[in-house]
Amino acid sequence: MSHVAIIGTGRYLPEHIMTNDDLSELVDTSDEWIRTRTGIRERRVSTGISTSDLAYEAGKRAVVEAGLKPEDIDLIICTTITPDYFMPSCACIVQERIGAVNSAAFDLTAACTGMIYGMVTAEQFIKSGMYENVLVIGSETLSRILDWEDRSSCVLFGDGAGAVVMSKTDKGGVLLASRLEADGSKSNLLTCSAIPLQNPYVKSPSHFQPTEIEMQGMPKKDLYRLPKIEMIGQEVFKYAVRTITDNINNILKKAGLSIDDIAYIIPHQANQRIIEQASKFCKVPLERFYMNLDRYGNTSAASIGIALDELVATGELKQGDRLILVGFGGGMTSGSILLEWR
Ligand code: COA
């Protein structure tokens, strides 16, 4: 029986680079603090390009790399916490722009674990026989929901998109095992509110009052607090280390493999210190963890797709190399996929 495999990858980043020094002009921080606490040196920030634009560019590249035509795609799953609209979905915008005329399309939200949730969802559609070729895109313009006055969070994130095409075949990045987890009891650790309930029976709740900056020049009817990322950083840090470690151990067990069988681990790119601690707990040399967070920061649902596409582009992946992709994020959510390159 054929497996489900990744047959093409793509990425797209906004051109504008925001360095740590640029950030130190906005908030009370320094290049030294950000580098030593996170490993991040710079990130890409949109100067106008939207989540669906990034998704379109990354998705288009993945379809070309897969050797497919847009009309061969049966389903597009976009995963994002920063869509351009509640409706239409980012996936529908991409479907029209790439010309995937035979494709169904929907968005999926699992915060920074979005790419793993999206790929595991695609795997199930392909395994069931419902679809042959699925395009999964993680795309974010996190810059639109950052609190640019909060130095403890705005320095961590960036914008970008990564994509994969998955199909039923034994060639490419063949999925050997996958798993998903969620723990809603920790949902308060990482949040971003939506628009408040406002209708003839409910007035705007007080905690949605705007900040001074948001009030400037804004029409009165829009005077609620815009959605912003808020987090309890140290608790997220501990959760991340524990969940990366557990996911790696559990997926190895599920696949009947040991850590020595793994060539690369692509973790969600949140913080170098999180990855260093997880590498110690899992007893895996740090060199086996692929990292690009120094250049892009945390791009949430996009990070694993961007990193995988970069690793593929290096040409370093050899036949038989096994990889673990491991994500974690708001919700809290986590998940992992074990692949073999054939
Ligand atoms: N520049 C300078 N100082 C900063 C700063 C910044 N950008 N951000 C916070 N600080 C200050 C704090 O105000 C605090 O000052 P104080 O001691 O005077 O109160 C000090 O640095 C230490 O803050 P602390 O929160 O203890 O730092 P930390 O070592 O825990 O690092 C994070 C903070 C946010 C980098 C870290 O907790 C983290 O990475 N957490 C995970 C976040 C994450 O990955 N989220 C997304 C997951 S998908």
Side-chain angles (χ1 to χ4, degrees), residues 41-62:
R41 290 171 185 275
E42 59 190 41
R43 72 284 296 139
R44 302 297 178 95
V45 176
S46 168
T47 53
I49 192 165
S50 69
T51 294
S52 61
D53 295 328
L54 295 169
Y56 160 70
E57 295 290 350
K60 188 174 64 174
R61 285 163 169 72

Side-chain angles (χ1 to χ4, degrees), residues 27-30 33-34 37-38 112 150-153 155-157 190 231-238 240 268 270-271 273-274 298 300 328-330 332:
V27 285
D28 181 14
T29 190
S30 66
W33 194 96
I34 301 171
R37 299 289 177 119
T38 70
C112 302
D150 176 10
R151 65 178 181 172
S152 66
S153 61
V155 303
L156 301 177
F157 299 93
L190 198 46
M231 64 176 189
I232 307 175
Q234 291 185 352
E235 291 304 313
V236 174
F237 193 105
K238 284 188 237 163
H268 169 49
N271 182 323
R273 285 192 302 136
I274 290 176
N298 178 345
S300 190
F328 57 89
M332 300 300 280

Side-chain angles (χ1 to χ4, degrees), residues 292-331:
N292 61 14
L293 61 86
D294 56 325
R295 286 173 286 134
Y296 306 134
N298 178 345
T299 55
S300 190
S303 86
I304 289 176
I306 294 170
L308 178 63
D309 185 52
E310 277 195 354
L311 180 57
V312 171
T314 64
E316 282 172 25
L317 276 178
K318 299 184 298 293
Q319 287 273 321
D321 275 351
R322 296 196 189 98
L323 290 80
I324 294 175
L325 317 181
V326 52
F328 57 89

Side-chain angles (χ1 to χ4, degrees), residues 91-102:
C92 279
I93 298 170
V94 171
Q95 188 246 11
E96 193 271 331
R97 285 188 66 189
I98 67 171
V101 287
N102 299 313

